[in-house]
Amino acid sequence: MKSDPAPPRTPITVSVVIPVYNDAAFLRTCLRALAEQRRPADEIIVVDNACTDASAAIARAAGVRVVTEPHRGIWPAAATGYDAATGAVIARLDADSVPPVDWVERIAERFQAEPGLFVYTGPGDFYGCGPITALLGRRLYIGGYFLWMGLWLGHPPLFGSNFAMRGEVWAATRDRVRRDSDTVHDDLDFSMHLGADHPVTLDRSLRVGISARPFGTPRGLGRRVAWAGRTLFAGWPEYAPWRIRRNAGSRRPRSGSAGRVQRPRA
């Protein structure tokens, strides 16, 4: 006697969160790319982080949801967006991210097919610069981030311009991260607070375009490096590598829990 077929799974829902501060031109391009997705997002949330330009107006004209966060800073804005998201999966872009047409589709299909997938991230390709700068940025800046921070954390870090997570990950982590800080990198800080119960999968084929503006001036690049130092060392020794790994181990899942960590490659 044949058994009844399993009922079809409920399609997974995807919310895309985009924090923005005075990035109207970039945001317009990002929203246009999202409008062209083969599989549209179920919800797009633009977080107006006290913008004084046309960013919020552009978002409303595009028909997406706008929430406000008056406390300036990428972490406060991103956290507000995650709090507002209603999708089973929360995906994240920056205003200068340009996702390919299959970006949402790939995220939805991967999370639908893999119940043990919790956090999913990929790198970026620089635009608005020459080929040498793009190559060095890809190899040294982004490649170095995944390599060295992966060694520091013991797992791949999130890349804030291109990642997605199950809503339950944010629910479990939102009160541990330094979400009110405007002087730390939100993606690196988030990575430091993820436990073994929410492993990160790094997929190097999940790529988005990102602006080369970090290399626009030595001051701008230096500021980002300084933020990385504050993110890693401001809470020393609480955030020392051995303590991060020990704390992650204390949150290790019970036997039978699924998940995968793909180690970063150089």
Side-chain angles (χ1 to χ4, degrees), residues 148-249:
W148 296 112
M149 292 304 95
L151 292 172
W152 184 286
L153 300 169
H155 64 78
L158 302 178
F159 183 49
S161 299
N162 178 22
F163 83 90
M165 61 181 166
R166 293 192 187 273
E168 65 196 73
V169 176
W170 176 241
T173 314
R174 63 185 302 277
D175 294 327
R176 294 203 297 258
V177 298
R178 292 173 281 183
R179 55 178 290 157
D180 294 326
S181 175
D182 56 5
T183 59
V184 300
H185 285 298
D186 65 303
D187 49 3
L188 179 54
D189 183 63
F190 201 168
S191 303
M192 293 166 69
H193 289 87
L194 288 171
D197 44 347
H198 296 134
V200 178
T201 295
L202 169 60
D203 182 351
R204 293 183 182 275
S205 72
L206 183 74
R207 313 187 74 89
V208 301
I210 53 174
S211 170
R213 58 182 171 179
F215 310 119
T217 65
R219 181 180 179 182
L221 182 58
R223 185 182 67 212
R224 285 170 169 79
V225 172
W227 281 13
R230 282 195 293 269
T231 306
L232 294 172
F233 296 108
W236 195 271
E238 179 182 355
Y239 295 126
W242 53 89
R243 291 202 176 184
I244 291 174
R245 298 184 187 204
R246 184 179 66 192
N247 291 338

Side-chain angles (χ1 to χ4, degrees), residues 1-232:
M1 182 176 179
K2 292 183 178 180
S3 59
D4 293 334
R9 290 184 182 178
T10 302
I12 205 157
T13 53
V14 179
S15 297
V16 178
V17 171
I18 310 169
V20 60
Y21 170 69
N22 289 355
D23 261 340
F26 283 121
L27 180 63
R28 181 181 285 111
T29 301
C30 180
L31 293 177
R32 185 181 301 123
L34 286 172
E36 295 170 352
Q37 294 290 299
R38 292 198 306 229
R39 191 280 196 195
D42 298 281
E43 176 182 51
I44 299 173
I45 299 172
V46 169
V47 184
D48 175 5
N49 195 202
C51 294
T52 58
D53 69 351
S55 294
I58 286 170
R60 292 189 177 94
V64 305
R65 183 180 171 196
V66 178
V67 299
T68 59
E69 174 48 64
H71 182 182
R72 282 271 307 278
I74 190 69
W75 224 160
T80 294
Y82 303 152
D83 284 343
T86 61
V89 170
I90 304 171
R92 159 72 185 280
L93 295 170
D94 282 328
D96 65 345
S97 301
V98 183
V101 295
D102 63 346
W103 186 74
V104 174
E105 179 181 60
R106 289 186 61 184
I107 288 171
E109 289 181 350
R110 191 78 185 261
F111 278 95
Q112 186 80 53
E114 300 182 33
L117 181 67
F118 290 97
V119 186
Y120 185 42
T121 194
D125 297 308
F126 288 105
Y127 64 81
C129 60
I132 300 300
T133 299
L135 177 62
L136 292 176
R138 177 176 176 174
R139 297 289 187 183
L140 300 180
Y141 187 82
I142 295 181
Y145 172 70
F146 280 113
L147 174 63
W148 296 112
M149 292 304 95
L151 292 172
W152 184 286
L153 300 169
H155 64 78
L158 302 178
F159 183 49
S161 299
N162 178 22
F163 83 90
M165 61 181 166
R166 293 192 187 273
E168 65 196 73
V169 176
W170 176 241
T173 314
R174 63 185 302 277
D175 294 327
R176 294 203 297 258
V177 298
R178 292 173 281 183
R179 55 178 290 157
D180 294 326
S181 175
D182 56 5
T183 59
V184 300
H185 285 298
D186 65 303
D187 49 3
L188 179 54
D189 183 63
F190 201 168
S191 303
M192 293 166 69
H193 289 87
L194 288 171
D197 44 347
H198 296 134
V200 178
T201 295
L202 169 60
D203 182 351
R204 293 183 182 275
S205 72
L206 183 74
R207 313 187 74 89
V208 301
I210 53 174
S211 170
R213 58 182 171 179
F215 310 119
T217 65
R219 181 180 179 182
L221 182 58
R223 185 182 67 212
R224 285 170 169 79
V225 172
W227 281 13
R230 282 195 293 269
T231 306
L232 294 172

